[in-house]
Amino acid sequence: DIQMTQSPSSLSASVGDRVTITCRASQSISRYLNWYQQKPGKAPKLLINGASSLQSGVPSRFSGSGSGTDFTLTISSLQPEDSASYYCQQSHSMPLTFGGGTKVEIK
Amino acid sequence: EVQLLESGGGLVQPGGSVRLSCAASGFTFSTYPMSWVRQAPGKGLEWVSHITGSGSNTYYADSVKGRFTISRDNSKNTLYLQMISLRADDTAVYYCAKAAKAGFWSEADYWGLGTLVIVSS
């Protein structure tokens, strides 16, 4: 199975800050990497698929990059509504494993 | 508008069984693979099981293999998860999720609201 390791597990940043979350796969997954946002008590929401393709309606301050084993999710200017947990997921092969998540808090 | 509505959760005793359902609407259900993903209280997301659009291929996490069975009724636009031999660590919110692309698997572009299963005596 492919293990997905996210870091950090949590972070606190100010409005306007640039935030970066990393995700590392235990083996190469090409660009089969997806990012989800989950707010408390809500279902996850797909933000980015294919490592860097932004879903329709997702603000352009979100971006994704990487290939192979190392990936990043960047929020260019953190907004209050971005307070949430973020999960990476590989869709290269079964089982479709998730990273452990990163909780983003606003200072 | 795509809608996914899970049902069937509740309190079940250890060793017991329950069947979850996910009623889908707003898309051609038989075209898309579907997954179940769970989230234990205060924990992260865990992929549980996946089924192709025709139902001919199914996949399971090691943690549920042999105890959970995923199925679908394309005539009723409904996804199922039969869960037996339940344990305390199966306690979670269970989400159904729609694959974004036809084929075997892909990212999930729509999710239900989830149904809570509590395994406790």
Side-chain angles (χ1 to χ4, degrees), chain A residues 1 34 36 38 41-46 49-50 55 87 89 91-100, chain B residues 35 37 39 43-47 50 59-62 95 100-101 104-109 111-113:
Chain A
D1 297 1
N34 313 303
Y36 299 87
Q38 186 183 32
K42 301 294 187 182
K45 172 187 174 183
L46 179 64
N49 73 287
Q55 292 299 292
Y87 295 91
Q89 180 207 34
S91 52
H92 176 273
S93 56
M94 286 290 172
L96 303 178
T97 41
F98 288 92
Chain B
S35 288
V37 175
Q39 186 169 37
K43 301 298 184 181
L45 301 173
E46 180 187 14
W47 172 84
H50 183 88
Y59 308 88
Y60 298 93
D62 286 345
Y95 296 100
K101 305 178 182 72
F104 284 92
W105 60 75
S106 72
E107 67 277 6
D109 58 352
W111 297 63
L113 298 178

Side-chain angles (χ1 to χ4, degrees), chain A residues 62-78:
Chain A
F62 290 92
S63 64
S65 64
S67 65
T69 60
D70 294 315
F71 302 86
T72 60
L73 172 68
T74 300
I75 309 173
S76 61
S77 178
L78 190 67

Side-chain angles (χ1 to χ4, degrees), chain A residues 37-44 80-87 103-105, chain B residues 39 95 113:
Chain A
Q37 176 192 64
Q38 186 183 32
K39 297 185 177 181
K42 301 294 187 182
E81 59 267 32
D82 301 335
S83 178
S85 292
Y86 294 83
Y87 295 91
K103 186 173 183 179
V104 174
E105 295 181 333
Chain B
Q39 186 169 37
Y95 296 100
L113 298 178

